[in-house]
Structures are given as C-alpha cells and as structure tokens.
Amino acid sequence: MSAPRRGNSQQDAGRTFAEACASLKLEHPSHAGLIEAWIERQPEMVAGAIGGTVEIVAELRARKVPLYALSNWSAETFPSF
C-alpha cells in the first residue's frame, strides 16, 4: 500500500489551491490566515527571473533555435508570472 499523497504533490495531480486551502484549514484552523496567504501572496514568493536566463533565451531566439518549456508550475498560478 502506498502512502497518501500530501502537500504540493496533490496540486501536481490536479487539486486546486482552493481545495488545498479548504482541506488545510480544516486540519489547522488556527493557521487559516497563513494558509490563505500561501495562495494570495504567492507573487511575493517569486523573486523574478534567474540572472542571465533572459539574455540566454534572447540569444537562442535570435539564432532561431527552437525553444520549449517544461514546468510543473500550477496552471492556476503560471499566468500571473
């Protein structure tokens, strides 16, 4: 029997942030504000582009190298970044 999926692995499997927050608030009601901050303040948790990356991508694009991206970023939060 495998262990239950917890944490972000459930988001990777398609659980929404709203579902995650609701579940966590039931488990930890005294931390409801912090749990809400997890999604509401997510933009503050990303510092920006990794130094040099934008320049490398621009150079590759200028050389007409095909560019692709693979990410496990949430479909809910990806558009805002």
Side-chain angles (χ1 to χ4, degrees), residues 11-77:
Q11 268 68 269
D12 291 346
R15 179 173 73 167
T16 67
F17 278 96
E19 292 168 328
C21 287
S23 174
L24 287 169
K25 287 189 285 187
L26 287 174
E27 270 187 71
H28 309 282
S30 65
H31 296 291
L34 294 173
I35 292 165
E36 286 295 326
W38 174 49
I39 187 62
E40 292 173 0
R41 298 183 65 185
Q42 189 137 37
E44 296 173 43
M45 297 180 215
V46 178
I50 297 170
T53 303
V54 174
E55 293 81 6
I56 291 169
V57 171
E59 183 177 335
L60 291 169
R61 179 175 283 152
R63 293 179 184 200
K64 305 220 184 295
V65 174
L67 300 172
Y68 304 91
L70 177 62
S71 173
N72 68 343
W73 203 302
S74 166
E76 290 177 272
T77 57

